[in-house]
Amino acid sequence: MSIIIVVGLCCFFYVLGVWQRSGFGKGDRIAAQITEQTECTISSNLNFETHHSGGSVPNDDDSEVKTFEPCDDRYTDYTPCQYQRRAMTFPRDNMIYRERHCPAEQEKLYCLIPAPKGYVAPFPWPKSRDYVPYANVPYKSLTVEKAVQNWVQYEGNVFRFPGGGTQFPHGADKYIDQLASVIPIANGVVRTALDTGCGVASWGAYLLKRNVLAMSFAPRDSHEAQVQFALERGVPAVIGVLGSIKLPYPARAFDMAHCSRCLIPWGSNDGMYMMEVDRVLRPGGYWVLSGPPINWKSNYKAWQQTKEELEEEQRKIEEIAELLCWEKISEKDEIAIWRKRINADSCPGRQDEPHVNMCESTNADDVWYKKMESCINRYPEVNSPKEVAGGELRPFPERLNAIPPRISSGSVPGFSVESYQKDNKLWQKHVKAYKKINKLLDTGRYRNIMDMNAGLGSFASAIESPKLWVMNVVPTIAELSTLGVIYERGLIGIYHDWCEAFSTYPRTYDLIHANGVFSLYQNKCKMEDILLEMDRILRPEGAIIFRDDVDVLIKVKRMVGGMRWSTKMADHEDGPLVSEKILFAVKQYWVGGSKNKTSKQ
């Protein structure tokens, strides 16, 4: 009888154990809840190598940690793909010399870009919109060149930005009020904007309080540090130019495009630049042109151009706008506004005219290093004259989590409405876990944020706040082009190949999110190239969140050990058995001329 009882109990507990381990047991659910609610998975000295003694991680696991030394102080503001000496060797036609020209392998710098002496953390938003520490961008040239136009003023140890511009010396607010009398800026219909030749991005800076997110760009030219000033102010911007290469944005991305005395020759090259704006402008979107040649009859003397030159320039612009089927809805003082038609049916006969050159390419999002063309991109097809080509968008913020037209129409292979909603929920869960570890994530501590592999933009959606903005990068080697979806959500972003340097100045981002980046670029380029670029664009004491497979993150953690970063490894929020892990890193504070001095973390 004793033997029978013992055997019976053993069988009972065996079956009970199997049931609990299957995931259906109450005890298993309680354990999962405890794991989720605690932060005990975080450790600053996790040694994942010991968990993989049955195999080896190739290349560098058994080697000594490589130490990256600081670069010379003259590289403080180094922009690898817009380096002045290299740029001057390229033709000046169509601004080719101001485009991206990245260094060859033997020219790359394998050192850490130093911050200037005296560098301090930028002011928190919104104070940063109006004030930038002089030590961070020590260039006074714009205070002299643009003194009359109220761009920037030097006061003590800070630069002050009064909000002026070449076409709005009395302030961007009043200028935007003029635009808002014609364009529906206040109701969320206009959410994304493109500012071509942005200066210090005051237009974009003052649009932010109206819930409009502008992507501003300007070349790295004689106006030293335009884009650097913009980013120090906490305003989205990149180094860029309308030249010979297509803009790194998808078709139908922006609700509004803007040129305020941007000096772009709109009427040249058979209207190529206006056609490129047409490509990235959403059906029903607005194009604003202020300054020459608008209202040339009253201003030709002040602009120091002849009547004939300005009249001809405006004639060409009007002619191309008509060819593009843009409707001119306003011209007052020096501001003209056109609206793009909502579909091809609104412009009958245009495609049948012999002098209209329609683009042959069927993929208007294929733009990386592709030559700009003097051709008009076709509208997506519609079923009725009142239908918006490509799909109508909800006003923002409703737009953020509504189903994007590219998803609902099945234009992105592999993504359905259900998988899109699932992706949203997944990233809400991930961000919730991030906040348990980095409690400053959405407090305003991090203003300029980059997502290096943005997918559908769900990370940016999960942390969306007026306190921050996210540059959503879709890698050019990604399996799917999802940047159009990101813009349809009312977010901004850009195409980029992480084997090359990003089009920005050093120290321009407060936080970088890298989800699966190193798995994506495995065998494409060197890990240290990507990590050094991340270090270049990250501010001192800025943060990085890596999410990747554990074996990849072990190599990342080892390499950044020689880059003056402090790191912590964390388990996946679903527990330690998930192979995907999270590595948190903080860049230590150090400046040029102090190679051995870093802050204590």
Side-chain angles (χ1 to χ4, degrees):
M1 182 61 71
S2 299
I3 293 171
I4 293 171
I5 292 171
V6 170
V7 171
L9 288 171
C10 287
C11 291
F12 171 78
F13 284 113
Y14 175 80
V15 172
L16 180 64
V18 170
W19 175 65
Q20 287 184 324
R21 289 175 63 85
S22 69
F24 295 96
K26 182 178 179 181
D28 188 71
R29 290 198 301 272
I30 293 172
Q33 289 174 5
I34 292 172
T35 301
E36 185 178 348
Q37 292 169 4
T38 60
E39 297 179 14
C40 298
T41 57
I42 307 162
S43 172
S44 61
N45 58 355
L46 285 179
N47 184 358
F48 284 92
E49 289 92 341
T50 59
H51 296 175
H52 299 269
S53 55
S56 61
V57 180
N59 298 330
D60 54 2
D61 266 29
D62 299 322
S63 61
E64 292 184 8
V65 175
K66 179 180 178 179
T67 300
F68 293 91
E69 298 296 333
C71 303
D72 189 276
D73 286 359
R74 72 177 183 274
Y75 290 108
T76 292
D77 292 320
Y78 181 57
T79 52
C81 295
Q82 289 90 9
Y83 188 48
Q84 185 72 357
R85 290 183 183 177
R86 190 181 310 112
M88 299 309 291
T89 65
F90 287 87
R92 299 201 171 202
D93 298 345
N94 294 330
M95 298 292 283
I96 290 173
Y97 75 121
R98 294 297 184 198
E99 294 179 329
R100 288 174 56 85
H101 302 290
C102 299
E105 189 66 32
Q106 63 272 19
E107 294 180 68
K108 290 181 179 178
L109 298 181
Y110 287 94
C111 52
L112 307 176
I113 302 296
K117 292 179 181 178
Y119 181 90
V120 295
F123 295 112
W125 182 266
K127 186 178 180 180
S128 65
R129 185 193 69 181
D130 302 327
Y131 296 96
V132 167
Y134 170 76
N136 291 11
V137 194
Y139 304 110
K140 296 181 183 178
S141 59
L142 283 179
T143 64
V144 178
E145 291 180 34
K146 303 294 182 179
V148 179
Q149 298 164 10
N150 242 357
W151 278 32
V152 56
Q153 298 170 0
Y154 176 61
E155 298 178 356
N157 61 349
V158 299
F159 288 110
R160 185 172 73 87
F161 296 83
T166 306
Q167 282 302 124
F168 40 93
H170 301 297
D173 252 342
K174 289 184 179 179
Y175 176 77
I176 293 169
D177 285 340
Q178 286 181 274
L179 303 183
S181 67
V182 180
I183 301 170
I185 289 175
N187 61 6
V189 172
V190 170
R191 163 62 178 177
T192 56
L194 179 69
D195 194 8
T196 56
C198 65
V200 294
S202 287
W203 187 71
Y206 280 83
L207 278 173
L208 284 165
K209 69 179 183 181
R210 303 177 193 233
N211 222 6
V212 176
L213 197 55
M215 171 69 81
S216 302
F217 71 78
R220 179 162 189 172
D221 59 12
S222 57
H223 292 161
E224 189 69 56
Q226 295 178 88
V227 168
Q228 194 173 16
F229 273 129
L231 288 155
E232 283 292 318
R233 298 174 72 187
V235 181
V238 293
I239 302 172
V241 66
L242 266 172
S244 67
I245 302 296
K246 292 181 180 181
L247 294 173
Y249 313 113
R252 311 187 308 280
F254 298 98
D255 300 310
M256 175 169 58
H258 174 256
C259 162
S260 172
R261 204 165 187 177
C262 59
L263 304 180
I264 294 170
W266 296 111
S268 65
N269 294 324
D270 299 320
M272 182 172 70
Y273 298 137
M274 289 178 68
M275 291 173 183
E276 180 64 359
V277 169
D278 181 74
R279 182 186 70 81
V280 300
L281 195 61
R282 192 161 290 143
Y286 301 87
W287 185 54
V288 180
L289 177 61
S290 65
I294 306 303
N295 198 17
W296 57 268
K297 292 179 182 178
S298 301
N299 296 294
Y300 72 94
K301 289 182 180 178
W303 293 336
Q304 297 180 336
Q305 289 181 263
T306 66
K307 289 181 181 180
E308 292 74 20
E309 287 175 336
L310 291 165
E311 184 179 16
E312 177 62 14
E313 188 178 347
Q314 179 149 358
R315 186 195 65 78
K316 286 182 178 179
I317 290 172
E318 301 278 7
E319 187 178 87
I320 297 161
E322 186 176 349
L323 193 67
L324 294 169
C325 221
W326 293 356
E327 180 187 5
K328 192 174 191 179
I329 58 175
S330 175
E331 181 174 337
K332 185 178 179 181
D333 299 327
E334 297 171 21
I335 302 173
I337 301 173
W338 285 264
R339 190 179 187 204
K340 182 177 177 176
R341 308 275 184 169
I342 62 170
N343 56 44
D345 292 349
S346 305
C347 196
R350 183 184 70 173
Q351 296 182 21
D352 299 327
E353 294 180 17
H355 66 285
V356 176
N357 182 25
M358 306 302 293
C359 298
E360 295 181 3
S361 173
T362 56
N363 183 7
D365 293 351
D366 183 18
V367 297
W368 188 245
Y369 285 123
K370 296 296 174 67
K371 288 287 184 183
M372 204 181 294
E373 299 175 278
S374 297
C375 64
I376 303 173
N377 283 273
R378 299 179 187 276
Y379 281 96
E381 294 183 3
V382 295
N383 297 315
S384 71
K386 294 185 178 180
E387 184 181 348
V388 178
E392 190 168 5
L393 299 179
R394 306 279 182 86
F396 195 85
E398 187 183 351
R399 186 185 299 187
L400 184 64
N401 291 307
I403 306 300
R406 278 175 166 90
I407 296 293
S408 59
S409 66
S411 301
V412 183
F415 277 102
S416 62
V417 171
E418 292 74 21
S419 59
Y420 167 79
Q421 292 171 330
K422 184 179 179 181
D423 188 74
N424 265 342
K425 290 178 181 177
L426 177 65
W427 279 102
Q428 288 167 5
K429 175 182 173 182
H430 288 338
V431 169
K432 184 179 179 181
Y434 292 163
K435 289 178 181 178
K436 288 182 179 180
I437 298 168
N438 188 341
K439 295 178 174 58
L440 301 176
L441 190 60
D442 59 353
T443 63
R445 163 69 178 84
Y446 306 110
R447 170 69 183 169
N448 303 359
I449 297 177
M450 174 180 283
D451 192 355
M452 295 176 68
N453 186 17
L456 298 175
S458 297
F459 166 76
S461 173
I463 63 169
E464 205 280 327
S465 164
K467 299 176 183 176
L468 56 86
W469 57 270
V470 180
M471 180 67 74
N472 293 282
V473 180
V474 172
T476 56
I477 68 167
E479 185 178 352
L480 296 174
S481 175
T482 54
L483 192 54
V485 173
I486 289 169
Y487 274 95
E488 287 179 345
R489 302 186 71 170
L491 304 169
I492 59 171
I494 194 168
Y495 291 114
H496 184 64
D497 182 357
W498 286 112
C499 289
E500 299 179 359
F502 193 72
S503 293
T504 191
Y505 285 82
R507 304 171 302 281
T508 45
Y509 286 88
D510 303 297
L511 184 143
I512 299 175
H513 181 244
N515 172 45
V517 170
F518 293 94
S519 289
L520 178 65
Y521 277 91
Q522 206 160 26
N523 303 321
K524 300 292 192 303
C525 49
K526 292 188 288 188
M527 178 182 285
E528 61 192 290
D529 285 345
I530 300 176
L531 287 170
L532 285 169
E533 177 60 7
M534 293 170 75
D535 181 83
R536 184 185 74 88
I537 68 179
L538 186 67
R539 298 194 198 281
E541 299 181 307
I544 297 181
I545 303 173
F546 299 92
R547 176 180 285 270
D548 219 315
D549 187 80
V550 60
D551 290 332
V552 173
L553 290 187
I554 289 169
K555 293 191 282 187
V556 170
K557 188 175 188 294
R558 176 177 290 275
M559 186 166 287
V560 301
M563 294 175 60
R564 305 187 182 199
W565 294 6
S566 301
T567 59
K568 288 185 178 182
M569 190 81 84
D571 286 325
H572 191 281
E573 54 265 24
D574 289 341
L577 298 182
V578 180
S579 64
E580 184 179 84
K581 305 293 179 186
I582 301 98
L583 179 66
F584 293 85
V586 175
K587 179 178 175 178
Q588 297 175 14
Y589 178 90
W590 62 278
V591 296
S594 56
K595 293 186 179 182
N596 299 314
K597 296 178 181 179
T598 57
S599 64
K600 294 181 179 179
Q601 301 297 308

